[in-house]
Coordinates of all heavy atoms in Angstrom, one line a residue:
E1 N 32.0 43.6 11.3 CA 30.7 43.3 10.7 C 30.7 43.6 9.2 O 30.1 42.8 8.4 CB 29.6 44.1 11.3 CG 28.2 43.7 10.9 CD 27.1 44.4 11.7 OE1 27.2 44.4 12.9 OE2 26.2 44.9 11.0
D2 N 31.4 44.6 8.8 CA 31.4 45.0 7.3 C 32.6 44.3 6.6 O 32.8 44.6 5.4 CB 31.4 46.5 7.2 CG 32.6 47.1 7.7 OD1 33.5 46.4 8.3 OD2 32.7 48.4 7.6
G3 N 33.4 43.5 7.3 CA 34.5 42.8 6.7 C 35.7 43.7 6.5 O 36.6 43.3 5.8
R4 N 35.7 44.9 7.0 CA 36.8 45.8 6.8 C 38.1 45.4 7.5 O 39.2 46.0 7.3 CB 36.5 47.2 7.1 CG 36.4 47.5 8.5 CD 35.9 49.0 8.7 NE 36.2 49.5 10.0 CZ 35.5 49.3 11.1 NH1 34.5 48.5 11.1 NH2 35.9 49.8 12.3
G5 N 38.1 44.3 8.3 CA 39.3 43.9 9.0 C 38.9 42.9 10.1 O 37.8 42.4 10.2
I6 N 39.9 42.6 10.9 CA 39.8 41.7 12.1 C 40.2 42.4 13.3 O 40.9 43.4 13.3 CB 40.6 40.4 11.9 CG1 42.1 40.7 11.8 CG2 40.1 39.6 10.7 CD1 43.0 39.5 11.9
Y7 N 39.7 41.9 14.5 CA 40.0 42.5 15.8 C 40.0 41.5 16.9 O 39.4 40.4 16.8 CB 39.0 43.7 16.0 CG 37.6 43.2 16.3 CD1 37.1 43.0 17.6 CD2 36.8 43.0 15.2 CE1 35.8 42.6 17.8 CE2 35.5 42.5 15.4 CZ 35.0 42.3 16.7 OH 33.7 41.9 17.0
W8 N 40.6 41.9 18.0 CA 40.6 41.2 19.2 C 39.9 42.0 20.3 O 39.8 43.2 20.2 CB 42.0 40.8 19.7 CG 42.5 39.6 18.9 CD1 42.5 38.3 19.2 CD2 43.2 39.7 17.6 NE1 43.1 37.5 18.3 CE2 43.6 38.4 17.3 CE3 43.6 40.7 16.8 CZ2 44.2 38.1 16.1 CZ3 44.3 40.4 15.6 CH2 44.6 39.1 15.3
P9 N 39.5 41.4 21.4 CA 38.8 42.1 22.5 C 39.5 43.4 23.0 O 38.9 44.3 23.5 CB 38.5 41.1 23.6 CG 38.6 39.8 22.9 CD 39.5 40.0 21.7
N10 N 40.8 43.4 23.0 CA 41.6 44.5 23.5 C 41.7 45.7 22.6 O 42.3 46.7 22.9 CB 43.0 44.1 24.0 CG 43.9 43.7 22.8 OD1 43.5 43.6 21.7 ND2 45.2 43.4 23.1
G11 N 41.1 45.6 21.4 CA 41.1 46.7 20.4 C 42.1 46.6 19.3 O 42.1 47.4 18.4
L12 N 43.0 45.6 19.4 CA 44.0 45.4 18.4 C 43.3 45.0 17.1 O 42.5 44.1 17.2 CB 45.1 44.4 18.8 CG 46.1 44.1 17.7 CD1 47.0 45.4 17.5 CD2 47.0 43.0 18.1
D13 N 43.6 45.7 16.0 CA 42.9 45.3 14.8 C 43.9 45.5 13.6 O 44.9 46.1 13.7 CB 41.6 46.1 14.6 CG 41.8 47.6 14.4 OD1 43.0 48.1 14.5 OD2 40.8 48.2 14.1
F14 N 43.5 44.8 12.5 CA 44.2 44.9 11.2 C 43.2 45.1 10.1 O 42.2 44.3 10.1 CB 45.0 43.6 11.0 CG 46.1 43.3 11.9 CD1 45.9 42.6 13.1 CD2 47.4 43.8 11.6 CE1 47.0 42.4 13.9 CE2 48.5 43.6 12.5 CZ 48.2 42.8 13.7
C15 N 43.4 46.0 9.3 CA 42.5 46.3 8.2 C 42.7 45.2 7.1 O 43.7 44.6 6.9 CB 42.6 47.7 7.6 SG 44.0 48.0 6.6
A16 N 41.6 45.0 6.3 CA 41.6 44.0 5.2 C 42.7 44.3 4.2 O 43.3 43.3 3.7 CB 40.2 43.9 4.6
D17 N 42.9 45.5 3.8 CA 44.0 45.8 2.8 C 45.3 45.4 3.3 O 46.1 44.8 2.6 CB 44.0 47.3 2.5 CG 42.7 47.7 1.7 OD1 42.2 46.8 0.9 OD2 42.3 48.8 1.8
F18 N 45.6 45.7 4.6 CA 46.9 45.3 5.2 C 47.0 43.8 5.2 O 48.1 43.2 4.9 CB 47.1 45.9 6.6 CG 48.3 45.4 7.3 CD1 49.5 46.0 7.0 CD2 48.2 44.3 8.2 CE1 50.7 45.5 7.7 CE2 49.4 43.9 8.8 CZ 50.6 44.5 8.6
L19 N 46.0 43.1 5.6 CA 46.0 41.6 5.7 C 46.3 41.0 4.3 O 47.0 40.1 4.1 CB 44.7 41.1 6.2 CG 44.4 41.5 7.7 CD1 42.9 41.2 8.0 CD2 45.4 40.8 8.6
K20 N 45.6 41.6 3.3 CA 45.8 41.1 1.9 C 47.3 41.2 1.5 O 47.8 40.3 0.9 CB 44.9 41.8 1.0 CG 44.9 41.4 -0.5 CD 44.2 40.1 -0.7 CE 44.1 39.9 -2.2 NZ 43.5 38.7 -2.5
R21 N 47.9 42.4 1.8 CA 49.3 42.7 1.4 C 50.2 41.8 2.2 O 51.3 41.5 1.7 CB 49.6 44.1 1.5 CG 49.0 45.0 0.5 CD 49.5 46.4 0.5 NE 49.5 47.0 1.8 CZ 48.5 47.8 2.3 NH1 47.5 48.0 1.5 NH2 48.6 48.3 3.5
S22 N 49.9 41.5 3.4 CA 50.8 40.8 4.3 C 50.7 39.3 4.2 O 51.5 38.6 4.9 CB 50.6 41.2 5.7 OG 50.8 42.6 5.9
S23 N 49.8 38.7 3.4 CA 49.6 37.3 3.4 C 50.2 36.7 2.2 O 50.7 37.4 1.3 CB 48.1 37.0 3.4 OG 47.5 37.6 2.3
F24 N 50.2 35.4 2.2 CA 50.7 34.7 1.0 C 49.5 33.9 0.5 O 48.7 33.3 1.2 CB 51.9 33.7 1.3 CG 51.6 32.6 2.2 CD1 51.2 31.4 1.8 CD2 51.9 32.8 3.6 CE1 50.9 30.3 2.7 CE2 51.7 31.7 4.5 CZ 51.2 30.5 4.0

C-alpha cells in the first residue's frame, strides 16, 4: 500500500530499493 515493495500471497517480497538496484 505504501509502495515500499512488491509481494505475493505466500509472503515472498522485494523492497523498492532492491528492485531499483536490480533492474535496468
Side-chain angles (χ1 to χ4, degrees):
E1 188 173 313
D2 63 359
R4 73 183 200 281
I6 60 170
Y7 67 95
W8 282 268
N10 67 351
L12 179 64
D13 64 356
F14 292 91
C15 75
D17 291 328
F18 174 81
L19 295 168
K20 180 77 171 179
R21 287 191 309 268
S22 299
S23 61
F24 63 89

